[in-house]
Amino acid sequence: MKLKTGKFLLSVLVFTLCISGCISFRSDLEPVQKQKPPENPLPRATLFFHISHLEQDIGMDVVPKIINPRRGFRDIFGESMKEISNIKSFSTFTDNENDIDDVKRRQLRDSLQSAADFTLKMTIKKERSFAKHFLADILSYGTLTIFPVGYSWNYVITVDAFNHSQKQIKTYSQVSSVTSWNEMLFVFIYPFYPREVKIEEVYLESMRNIFRQIENDGILKK
C-alpha cells in the first residue's frame, strides 16, 4: 500500500512539473526617433563589428563568461544594421572562449580591425542574481510550482565606437530586463507571452536604438 502511495505521489510530482507554464514580460526602452536625412549624406565607410556575448551570475561569477550567440542573432543584427545608411562594406568578428589560445583568430581580428574605417565594439551581456534565482528555484520546486515564482535577467547592450586610429569616439548603451513567472496554470497563457519572443524584442529594439543614435549623431564620418 505504501509503495502504491509513493508511486502515486511521484506521478503527481512529475505531472505537475511537466505541465508548469511560464509567462514573460520585459521592461520598456525609450525609443530613439530617426532624424531626417541630412542634405549632404555622409560618405560611405567600411565598418568592423567586434561582437562579444557575455553571461554572468552575480554572486557566483567573478567575471563575465563568454558564451555563444543566441539563436537568430544574425537575423536580428542584419535587421538592426538598416538604421545606418552609409555602410560601404562591413566585416564581423565574434569572440569565443578559446580565442586566448588561438593566435590565427586573434590575427584575423586585428587585420579586420586595421582594414576598416571604423570599429564598433558591441558587447551583449546578460546577467542575473545567483542568490535570487537559487531561492526562486527552491520556492518553485518546494511548492510544486503551485505559487508563481519570478526569475529576472538583465540585458545590457553596449557599443563603443572607434575611428581608424582606434581612438574612442563615443559609447552607447541600452539596458532592459526580462522577467519570467513560473506557475502550473500559466501553461494556458504561455503561447501569448513566450520568453524567447521577449528576449528577441529586447535585442532588436536595443540594437536598433543604438544604431539609430549612431546614425543621428553622424559619428561615422571619415
Side-chain angles (χ1 to χ4, degrees), residues 66-179:
I66 296 175
I67 60 174
N68 293 325
R70 65 170 286 102
R71 183 183 67 86
F73 175 78
R74 291 182 180 276
D75 297 321
I76 296 171
F77 177 71
E79 185 66 26
S80 302
M81 277 204 312
K82 295 177 182 178
E83 300 295 335
I84 303 177
S85 63
N86 67 318
I87 299 179
K88 179 180 180 181
S89 62
F90 71 93
S91 57
T92 64
F93 181 92
T94 301
D95 289 333
N96 69 46
E97 61 181 352
N98 296 320
D99 285 343
I100 194 171
D101 300 316
D102 195 328
V103 176
K104 290 184 178 180
R105 270 183 56 84
R106 296 201 308 273
Q107 290 174 340
L108 172 62
R109 178 197 62 200
D110 294 343
S111 65
L112 292 174
Q113 179 175 286
S114 62
D117 297 318
F118 298 93
T119 295
L120 296 181
K121 177 69 173 70
M122 179 185 297
T123 302
I124 301 169
K125 180 183 177 183
K126 53 180 294 191
E127 60 184 19
R128 67 176 184 177
S129 168
F130 170 75
K132 289 181 179 179
H133 275 240
F134 181 79
L135 294 175
D137 283 338
I138 292 177
L139 181 59
S140 178
Y141 290 110
T143 61
L144 302 183
T145 69
I146 294 175
F147 297 105
V149 178
Y151 302 80
S152 294
W153 282 93
N154 293 325
Y155 292 84
V156 183
I157 299 181
T158 304
V159 173
D160 297 305
F162 299 85
N163 63 15
H164 181 71
S165 302
Q166 294 308 299
K167 179 181 179 180
Q168 187 168 354
I169 305 171
K170 199 167 183 178
T171 297
Y172 300 88
S173 184
Q174 294 273 289
V175 181
S176 186
S177 62
V178 175
T179 301

